[in-house]
């Protein structure tokens, strides 16, 4: 192809790589294809979407509880974008291992990193390293069938503490307290069902540092707690502290008002004598508790025996301060769910204190603070692990807007042909998967669910299963590639 061919034409479209196929990456690709410049015919684009996992959707597949009611709608929206055929998907391709920044620059005029955040934020208190202390994100990866985590998870605790007051904390608590048979309607893998089925848990305690008006979860997540069968929700009157700032938050935010109303209704309906509660499991919601120490004892040396908190009080600003009062809870496991944290990307500047790629509105910056031409970021790796799907769309729009503003000055790819990157991956023996491969894997997982139903329930429980998630990476890749080969 002539180097004089104008970029952005039918003969030489603008080549863009998006690294990460979760909502952030898919929305960025979709917004770019629907931009006014493209719709008007002023610009043509060619977009390739890369993901380190064999399947698309990122944290929607591997970071949200399988019984979450919103999953299906989000997946359907992402599916529609990728099923149009104007965005290529390359799964099982790991940036930094299979492709370098030099490779991407050679084949693309612009690169958008949308790699998200998958690690647990640290909680630096004594004893957090004891056996029986876990990261909530790691547990989520296990129950979501992440291909790179162990198939086993230790579920031997009767009493469990979950630290955090966000949606992930509630997901973790709900999955720990919910009866395994009630999860069979979801896509949980068989090993997850077996592990949860054998769990001896009786009590799960969720702790937040501030009051009920300052929680970070959403009304939907809160209501989901009450849908668990044979699980009583327990609250404590001494935790229901409201100051003037709390009242302002309640009156000024309908979401906060709804959640506080739900919580106060629950505690009002709760019997004074808790022995009247009859469920076999209990989910306790605690507020105004700040974790101080996870401890063991002589009998459980090296293992979690309990967790110590300092009681807090609201300080009038929406924050909480310590009161000096300490309280211990005997538990055999602790899950920290205080947020996610981003991971650094090879050959890209990284802010290790914030867990993000330094950027200006999505334009990635180098160590000196200058914009790196042709390199962009969107989603959690851009702004940190905050915000919901709506924020992700707005975030992607900002990044794409800047990319389009820069298009006349982008460093042009030396090998922009669509076939070139395929040849590169194949020459390196990368067993990449495609969108057609995902459709084959998707059909396979749905067939597994149908087979379990047809067999009368592979677990002895009569329930219709929509799908059963395939877990081992090698199986996902084989099913995806064999499915495509069978169509050729």
């Amino acid at each position: 192809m002539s180097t004089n061919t104008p970029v952005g034409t039918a003969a030489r479209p603008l080549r863009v790589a998006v690294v990460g196929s979760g909502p952030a990456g898919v929305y960025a690709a979709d917004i770019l294809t629907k931009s006014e410049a493209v719709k008007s015919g002023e610009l043509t684009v060619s977009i390739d979407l890369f993901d380190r996992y064999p399947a698309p959707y990122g944290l929607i597949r591997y970071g949200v509880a399988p019984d979450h009611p919103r999953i299906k709608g989000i997946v359907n929206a992402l599916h529609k974008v990728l099923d149009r055929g104007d965005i290529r998907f390359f799964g099982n391709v790991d940036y930094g291992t299979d492709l370098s920044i030099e490779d991407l620059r050679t084949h693309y005029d612009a690169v958008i990193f949308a790699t998200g955040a998958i690690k647990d934020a640290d909680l630096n208190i004594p004893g957090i390293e004891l056996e029986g202390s876990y990261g909530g994100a790691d547990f989520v990866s296990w129950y979501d069938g992440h291909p790179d985590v162990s198939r086993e998870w230790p579920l031997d605790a009767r009493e469990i503490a979950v630290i955090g007051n966000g949606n992930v904390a509630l997901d973790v608590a709900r999955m720990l307290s919910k009866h395994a048979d009630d999860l069979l309607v979801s896509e949980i893998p068989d090993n997850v069902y077996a592990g949860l089925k054998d769990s001896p848990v009786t009590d799960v305690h969720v702790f937040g540092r501030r009051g009920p008006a300052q929680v970070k979860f959403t009304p939907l997540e809160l209501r989901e707690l009450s849908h668990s069968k044979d699980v009583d929700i327990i609250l404590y009157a001494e935790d229901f502290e409201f100051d003037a700032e709390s009242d302002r938050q309640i009156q000024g935010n309908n979401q906060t008002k709804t959640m506080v109303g739900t919580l106060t209704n629950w505690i009002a309906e709760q019997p004074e004598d808790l022995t009247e509660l009859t469920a076999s499991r209990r989910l306790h919601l605690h507020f105004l508790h700040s974790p101080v120490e996870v401890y063991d004892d002589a009998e459980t040396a090296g293992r979690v025996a309990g967790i110590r908190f300092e009681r807090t009080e609201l300080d009038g600003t929406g924050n909480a301060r310590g009161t000096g009062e300490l309280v211990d809870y005997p538990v055999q496991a602790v899950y920290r769910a205080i947020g996610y944290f981003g991971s650094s990307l090879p050959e890209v500047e990284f802010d290790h204190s914030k867990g993000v790629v330094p950027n200006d509105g999505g334009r990635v910056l180098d160590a000196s603070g200058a914009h790196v031409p042709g390199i962009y970021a969107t989603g959690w790796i851009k702004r940190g692990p905050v915000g919901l799907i709506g924020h992700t769309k707005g975030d992607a729009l900002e990044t794409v807007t800047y990319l389009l503003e820069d298009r006349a000055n982008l460093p042009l790819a030396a090998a922009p042909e669509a076939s070139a990157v395929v040849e590169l991956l194949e020459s390196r023996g990368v067993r990449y998967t495609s969108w057609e491969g995902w459709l084959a894997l998707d059909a396979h997982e749905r067939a597994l669910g149908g087979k379990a139903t047809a067999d009368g329930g592979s677990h002895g429980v009569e329930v219709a299963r929509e799908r059963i998630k395939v877990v081992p990476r090698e199986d996902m890749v084989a099913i995806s590639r064999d499915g495509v080969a069978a169509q050729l």
Side-chain angles (χ1 to χ4, degrees):
M1 183 180 296
S2 171
T3 55
N4 296 323
T5 303
V7 175
T9 65
R12 169 62 167 92
L14 181 72
R15 291 279 286 148
V16 179
V18 180
V19 181
S21 70
V26 175
Y27 290 148
D30 185 42
I31 289 169
L32 183 53
T33 63
K34 293 177 178 177
S35 64
E36 190 58 39
V38 173
K39 287 195 298 183
S40 67
E42 174 190 345
L43 176 71
T44 60
V45 294
S46 173
I47 304 172
D48 288 343
L49 194 63
F50 294 93
D51 203 289
R52 65 190 299 261
Y53 308 128
Y57 309 144
L59 277 182
I60 295 302
R61 181 173 168 93
Y62 293 121
V64 181
D67 62 342
H68 197 295
R70 291 183 62 205
I71 287 182
K72 189 176 295 186
I74 298 171
V75 166
N76 287 344
L78 300 179
H79 178 98
K80 287 179 181 177
V81 173
L82 296 180
D83 202 43
R84 293 194 313 246
D86 57 345
I87 300 167
R88 289 197 302 183
F89 172 71
F90 290 88
N92 203 42
V93 179
D94 186 23
Y95 168 74
T97 303
D98 301 317
L99 289 176
S100 66
I101 194 72
E102 181 181 354
D103 295 328
L104 293 175
R105 283 194 171 282
T106 298
H107 294 89
Y108 300 93
D109 307 307
V111 180
I112 302 175
F113 286 102
T115 50
I118 60 173
K119 295 195 318 182
D120 282 287
D122 290 334
L123 178 63
N124 295 315
I125 60 173
I128 199 67
E129 77 289 343
L130 288 173
E131 186 179 349
S133 174
Y134 311 106
D138 293 335
F139 182 56
V140 172
S141 292
W142 174 75
Y143 68 58
D144 270 335
H146 193 295
D148 297 334
V149 303
S150 170
R151 303 282 73 81
E152 304 301 321
W153 188 273
L155 288 163
D156 51 7
R158 297 181 312 281
E159 299 158 301
I160 300 171
V162 179
I163 305 171
N165 253 187
N167 284 340
V168 175
L170 291 197
D171 276 353
V172 168
R174 191 176 69 255
M175 290 294 291
L176 286 166
S177 60
K178 199 167 186 175
H179 291 275
D181 287 349
D182 295 329
L183 288 163
L184 282 175
V185 294
S186 73
E187 60 186 33
I188 61 167
D190 285 344
N191 67 291
V192 175
Y193 171 83
L196 293 172
K197 180 74 171 177
D198 292 338
S199 170
V201 66
T202 58
D203 293 83
V204 177
H205 299 262
V206 182
F207 296 94
R209 187 174 58 86
R210 297 186 292 173
Q214 288 80 39
V215 295
K216 293 297 184 182
F217 44 76
T218 58
L220 181 64
E221 292 288 344
L222 182 60
R223 286 195 297 268
E224 278 299 298
L225 295 183
S226 64
H227 297 163
S228 296
K229 300 175 184 176
D230 191 34
V231 179
D232 282 325
I233 299 174
I234 299 177
L235 301 105
Y236 299 87
E238 61 269 25
D239 293 344
F240 280 72
E241 178 181 315
F242 300 97
D243 57 6
E245 176 60 19
S246 296
D247 291 338
R248 188 196 67 78
Q249 292 172 337
I250 293 167
Q251 296 306 316
N253 186 298
N254 286 333
Q255 179 167 293
T256 301
K257 190 176 199 176
T258 298
M259 288 188 293
V260 170
T262 298
L263 290 167
T264 52
N265 285 339
W266 284 354
I267 196 169
E269 296 167 357
Q270 183 174 290
E272 289 187 20
D273 182 359
L274 295 182
T275 61
E276 295 178 17
L277 298 174
T278 59
S280 65
R281 294 179 177 179
R282 291 160 293 281
L283 180 56
H284 307 255
L285 299 181
H286 303 269
F287 306 102
L288 301 172
H289 283 69
S290 181
V292 172
E293 177 187 8
V294 179
Y295 59 85
D296 58 0
D297 57 27
E299 186 176 330
T300 66
R303 284 190 55 87
V304 172
I307 182 167
R308 179 167 297 131
F309 290 90
E310 179 180 15
R311 291 305 309 258
T312 60
E313 62 184 7
L314 300 177
D315 67 1
T317 70
N319 291 309
R321 61 191 169 213
T323 65
E325 178 189 352
L326 298 179
V327 58
D328 290 357
Y329 292 86
V331 296
Q332 299 83 51
V334 172
Y335 290 75
R336 66 185 185 279
I338 58 173
Y340 285 92
F341 201 78
S343 301
S344 61
L345 298 167
E347 302 177 274
V348 179
E349 191 66 24
F350 192 72
D351 185 333
H352 290 274
S353 64
K354 297 179 180 177
V356 299
V357 170
N359 68 92
D360 180 12
R363 291 178 170 127
V364 170
L365 306 176
D366 62 18
S368 69
H371 175 219
V372 182
I375 307 297
Y376 301 85
T378 191
W380 281 1
I381 201 63
K382 168 188 173 183
R383 71 177 188 274
V386 293
L388 303 174
I389 292 296
H391 297 89
T392 302
K393 289 182 179 178
D395 199 41
L397 176 61
E398 180 185 51
T399 294
V400 169
T401 298
Y402 281 128
L403 187 159
L404 291 172
E405 285 183 7
D406 299 340
R407 67 182 185 273
N409 299 308
L410 293 173
L412 300 184
E417 298 82 6
S419 60
V421 71
V422 177
E423 294 168 359
L424 176 66
L425 292 172
E426 291 181 345
S427 72
R428 292 177 176 173
V430 179
R431 286 171 55 80
Y432 64 88
T433 60
S434 63
W435 178 247
E436 291 74 22
W438 160 246
L439 295 179
L441 177 58
D442 182 45
H444 180 84
E445 291 184 345
R446 291 177 183 276
L448 290 178
K451 183 176 185 300
T453 303
D455 289 345
S458 58
H459 305 287
V461 179
E462 291 287 349
V463 60
R465 303 201 66 185
E466 184 173 325
R467 72 164 69 234
I468 298 176
K469 191 179 288 184
V470 172
V471 179
R473 179 183 287 267
E474 58 272 20
D475 290 354
M476 296 173 67
V477 172
I479 294 166
S480 298
R481 291 176 67 90
D482 289 350
V484 172
Q487 298 172 21
L488 299 178

